[in-house]
Each structure stands twice: as structure tokens, then as C-alpha cells.
Amino acid sequence: MRKQYHFRTAKNGSGFDAFDVDRLIELSYGLPIENVALASITDVDTPYWFYTNPELPTVREVIEHTKLIHEADLTYPILLSIDGEVMDGMHRVAKAILEGSTTIRAIHLPALGEPDYRNCLPGELQY
């Protein structure tokens, strides 16, 4: 699987704070899996994948995400922050919606801790 990070706008407004998805997955081990209503995942109506330039996703970027959606494995639960933000699994959310599902398997992470990187830009991290 490709290296992945979850980005949030840095608290000081300069760049992003990044959470290593591998670490988030480790945090999820042993936590209960539940069915979550897809309608409750509000990140679907945000520029989730295009946060660096939400107004101008290229056709190539859309194609790449389409491939990732097609390859997404719904047997793995998505990871949600305590406030319901998708920390890992938006391609699975998209696939579930496209397939007409109304729920998705999810794990709520009780606490994230500090980000793995602060005030960074996505292109600066190793993938």
C-alpha cells in the first residue's frame, strides 16, 4: 500500500499538520468496529482530496482518485476522529456511496495525539 498522510490545516494557518496513516491504523487496533451512516460523513462535501487547490482539480487528479476508489477494499473499516472527521478511508467512503450503500464500517479513534509533522506541505513528505 502507498504511504499516506492525513492533512489538517495547521493551527497557525501556515501549511498543514500531517498524521501518518500507518500510525493511525496502529491506534485503531482493538477498538470496536461500528456501522456509521454515510450521510453523517460531512467530509464528502469538502475539497477533501484537493485541499492544496480546491478550486482546480485537474482531470488527471480526478482520474487518479477514480482508480483509487475502484481499488478500495470495503472490508477494511474507515478511521474517524473523535469529531467524525475521516482520517483514513475516503476512497472507501466514495466506493460505498457509488455502490448505493447507506452505512460503512468505521472505527472512531478516541485521541490522535500530536501530528507527525507540523506546518508542512504535502510535497515535502516522503511517500
Side-chain angles (χ1 to χ4, degrees):
M1 183 176 293
R2 66 190 172 89
K3 186 69 180 160
Q4 298 176 75
Y5 299 94
H6 174 74
F7 294 96
R8 288 184 167 176
T9 302
K11 291 180 182 175
N12 68 7
S14 173
F16 297 92
D17 290 341
F19 293 84
D20 185 323
V21 170
D22 291 332
R23 184 176 66 82
L24 297 177
I25 291 170
E26 287 178 20
L27 289 172
S28 75
Y29 292 148
L31 295 175
I33 297 172
E34 57 188 283
N35 286 319
V36 171
L38 287 165
S40 72
I41 298 176
T42 58
D43 289 326
V44 171
D45 297 310
T46 70
Y48 188 87
W49 292 315
F50 305 106
Y51 46 82
T52 56
N53 192 351
E55 296 176 25
L56 301 172
T58 66
V59 171
R60 188 170 307 283
E61 289 172 317
V62 172
I63 290 167
E64 181 60 29
H65 282 286
T66 302
K67 288 179 3 186
L68 293 170
I69 291 166
H70 176 71
E71 296 168 355
D73 186 345
L74 294 176
T75 62
Y76 294 100
I78 64 170
L79 301 180
L80 300 172
S81 68
I82 198 157
D83 60 356
E85 180 181 2
V86 177
M87 301 297 289
D88 177 53
M90 187 57 78
H91 293 101
R92 283 169 271 163
V93 169
K95 184 173 187 170
I97 291 170
L98 284 169
E99 291 182 354
S101 298
T102 58
T103 63
I104 193 164
R105 298 175 66 223
I107 296 174
H108 280 93
L109 298 171
L112 299 176
E114 292 296 311
D116 296 289
Y117 301 93
R118 285 206 176 273
N119 300 314
C120 63
L121 296 175
E124 298 172 348
L125 301 180
Q126 183 178 13
Y127 285 88

